[in-house]
Amino acid sequence: MKKRVAVFISGRGSNFHSIIEHPKNVGCHYEVVLCVTNNLAALGLQYANDNGIPVEVYSEDTIHQILNNYKVELVALAGFMKILTPEFCNQWEGKILNIHPSLLPNYSGLNTHKRVLENNEKEHGLSIHFVDAGVDTGPIIFQTRVNIEDIENEEVLANLILFYENWFYPLILDVVAEGRIYLKEGRVYNCEKMLENPYTFIVD
Ligand code: GRF
């Protein structure tokens, strides 16, 4: 049985798009059954429209019920610009993933690419993590680490990181949907093995 996924978006939706496309090409353990947004002008809603995926508007009071109505089993946050309540995060513990454009715990929050360049960092990347009640703090499953010494500007950097985001988010969502990767007592496991460090893809 495929896991029923809801994707939460607020904007462009490139990760939403890649999450929708992935199951079309390969055997996959999830299906996208719902898009949730706090922004009805979000560009990414076109992908819901194109693929016949229903859209619901986010509200703190009804979100749990909405997800239950669609029998959602997993949530993927993909550029969702609202902070979820601690109650919701706890209720859905181990069932919400987020993607963040930095090497967490470094550069949580907004404008990561700009701040990374301002600080002349040599390395940058992305993190895919389980969501807990904090902001960008949950247990990390996977990171892409990119050598950025030759990157000339923010736009190039943002596009480079986004390329890897779009590539890896569906893959990680897939292994979580499969049940291979899961959260137990605040730690990430692969089958029976606890991860000491996030899985890492290095781009040098
Ligand atoms: C991505 O960089 C994601 O990591 C961050 O917000 C951005 C969303 O981009 N959380 P998109 O809407 O998926 O194109």
Side-chain angles (χ1 to χ4, degrees):
M1 283 288 276
K2 290 182 191 286
K3 282 268 162 62
R4 296 172 65 81
V5 168
V7 185
F8 287 27
I9 68 168
S10 298
R12 176 181 54 190
S14 69
N15 283 296
F16 178 38
H17 187 219
S18 68
I19 287 169
I20 293 172
E21 290 302 309
H22 177 69
K24 296 181 184 173
N25 304 321
V26 291
C28 177
H29 300 86
Y30 70 81
E31 59 180 322
V32 180
V33 298
L34 179 65
C35 173
V36 171
T37 189
N38 63 332
N39 172 19
L40 281 173
L43 282 178
L45 293 179
Q46 64 178 298
Y47 302 119
N49 200 22
D50 292 349
N51 289 277
I53 296 168
V55 175
E56 294 279 353
V57 175
Y58 176 83
S59 125
E60 264 179 23
D61 299 334
T62 57
I63 189 61
H64 182 66
Q65 190 55 49
I66 288 171
L67 297 183
N68 283 342
N69 289 349
Y70 286 87
K71 299 188 167 49
V72 168
E73 298 167 285
L74 264 180
V75 170
L77 306 181
F80 187 61
M81 301 305 284
K82 252 206 138 51
I83 293 175
L84 301 169
T85 64
E87 292 74 29
F88 179 76
C89 294
N90 292 335
Q91 222 165 359
W92 284 77
E93 191 187 14
K95 295 178 183 152
I96 315 177
L97 297 186
N98 184 40
I99 187 161
H100 183 77
S102 82
L103 295 170
L104 291 172
N106 300 333
Y107 299 98
S108 61
L110 298 175
N111 301 319
T112 58
H113 309 309
K114 183 165 181 280
R115 289 188 283 141
V116 159
L117 288 177
E118 280 167 2
N119 289 342
N120 290 316
E121 298 283 4
K122 292 188 167 52
E123 198 181 42
H124 185 36
L126 67 94
S127 305
I128 299 172
H129 64 97
F130 284 110
V131 170
D132 65 12
V135 176
D136 301 328
T137 54
I140 301 169
I141 304 166
F142 174 87
Q143 293 185 314
T144 299
R145 311 184 80 97
V146 186
N147 179 327
I148 58 165
E149 283 166 303
D150 296 332
I151 298 287
E152 44 304 352
N153 63 52
E154 190 183 334
E155 191 188 346
V156 172
L157 180 57
N159 285 334
L160 181 64
I161 300 299
L162 193 66
F163 170 79
Y164 291 106
E165 289 191 36
N166 294 167
W167 180 0
F168 284 112
Y169 203 9
L171 300 181
I172 299 302
L173 184 60
D174 196 353
V175 286
V176 172
E178 185 183 5
R180 177 178 291 271
I181 300 274
Y182 58 94
L183 187 72
K184 192 169 93 179
E185 292 159 2
R187 303 299 301 258
V188 179
Y189 282 74
N190 181 343
C191 300
E192 298 299 299
K193 198 171 174 301
M194 190 179 86
L195 288 191
E196 296 294 340
N197 295 297
Y199 288 111
T200 306
F201 183 80
I202 295 173
V203 184
D204 209 357

